[in-house]
Amino acid sequence: MNLLRQAGSPALLLLRTVRAAAREGVSARECLRQLHEVGSRSAWLVVSGMAFFGAVLITIANGQARRFTGNLVILGPAYFELMVREFGPVVSALLTAARAGASHGAELSTMSIQEQVEALEMSAGDPLADLVAPRAIAGALGVPLLCIVGTMAACTSAVLTATWAFGVDGMAFVDPRFVDGWDVLAALLKSVGCGLFIPVAAASAGLRARGGVEAVGEATTRAVVAACIGCLFIDFGVALAFLLGGV
């Protein structure tokens, strides 16, 4: 029941936010500021994390290849497809959820306990249109870009690791022969879905914070957990839909 509440509460908040944004409008300047917050400030974590992830995958693949086939290069095209369709979007989104989810959750929960949200409402503002909608738009734009950058970092790391550490043709790990339009579409749906969910989940946790400073910590933790679980659900849902569709 708690899991359903964590997934359902952000979904309802997103619907209310869409209605509020359509009614009140959204500040383009605030969207750009939030895009910088989500994209630029999360880029270093995504790039470094995905680079290490790619190097570790190639190291594991080398061990398995030497054990069963003796040829690491043969795994290259499959690695690239798996990175484009699955690992690139999902792992990049999880890293973004950890950083941006905590940031949004802490900021909004602090505003809640300091009654700044109530003050905004008393000034004829709408917290959903003014606080949540810019973050959701920035997430829908920023997370796909981070997923592209993260996938490139993992593939570059794989090429360098395969070439320098194992002495094989590393360019095999950016061979796109297995990648088709469905792989790209699946990656796009996952990244946009996660980009929408991460800030909305963080806002759902932050705006419900009440009490003292302890509430900020609790709301931040709930924001990160809900954002990460939501990303995994979105990944599973998109993968299952494509599987049932035969692509």
Side-chain angles (χ1 to χ4, degrees):
M1 183 63 73
N2 188 44
L3 193 62
L4 291 177
R5 187 183 304 132
Q6 285 193 354
S9 179
L12 293 175
L13 182 62
L14 178 60
L15 292 176
R16 292 170 53 204
T17 300
V18 170
R19 288 200 298 266
R23 185 177 61 250
E24 304 290 341
V26 181
S27 167
R29 184 175 181 178
E30 181 63 14
C31 289
L32 290 176
R33 192 181 76 82
Q34 293 299 330
L35 184 60
H36 170 68
E37 178 69 27
V38 172
S40 301
R41 295 189 174 180
S42 301
W44 67 270
L45 176 62
V46 172
V47 169
S48 58
M50 290 300 293
F52 279 110
F53 184 69
V56 170
L57 275 186
I58 291 302
T59 303
I60 295 173
N62 179 65
Q64 296 299 317
R66 291 188 183 281
R67 183 178 176 188
F68 295 106
T69 67
N71 185 4
L72 176 61
V73 173
I74 199 173
L75 301 177
Y79 169 91
F80 187 61
E81 183 193 27
L82 190 62
M83 193 58 66
V84 169
R85 179 164 180 153
E86 182 65 30
F87 286 144
V90 174
V91 180
S92 296
L94 287 173
L95 291 170
T96 306
R99 197 249 167 229
S103 175
H104 291 325
E107 183 180 3
L108 293 175
S109 59
T110 301
M111 293 180 67
S112 293
I113 66 169
Q114 293 180 345
E115 300 182 348
Q116 295 179 29
V117 176
E118 287 78 0
L120 177 64
E121 292 174 330
M122 293 177 65
S123 303
D126 188 326
L128 297 182
D130 295 337
L131 300 177
V132 183
R135 287 170 170 79
I137 294 172
L141 295 175
V143 172
L145 294 177
L146 288 172
C147 291
I148 293 172
V149 172
T151 301
M152 292 173 61
C155 292
T156 301
S157 172
V159 170
L160 297 177
T161 303
T163 302
W164 291 346
F166 304 121
V168 299
D169 181 15
M171 295 306 293
F173 292 89
V174 288
D175 186 341
R177 75 179 69 176
F178 291 163
V179 177
D180 57 22
W182 294 111
D183 295 322
V184 177
L185 179 61
L188 181 63
L189 291 175
K190 291 175 183 178
S191 59
V192 173
C194 292
L196 278 172
F197 190 86
I198 290 169
V200 175
S204 177
L207 293 176
R208 286 188 285 115
R210 296 292 183 273
V213 293
E214 298 84 1
V216 175
E218 293 174 1
T220 303
T221 301
R222 285 200 304 270
V224 173
V225 171
C228 291
I229 290 177
C231 289
L232 295 175
F233 267 108
I234 290 168
D235 174 49
F236 176 74
V238 173
L240 182 62
F242 275 66
L243 178 64
L244 295 177
V247 291

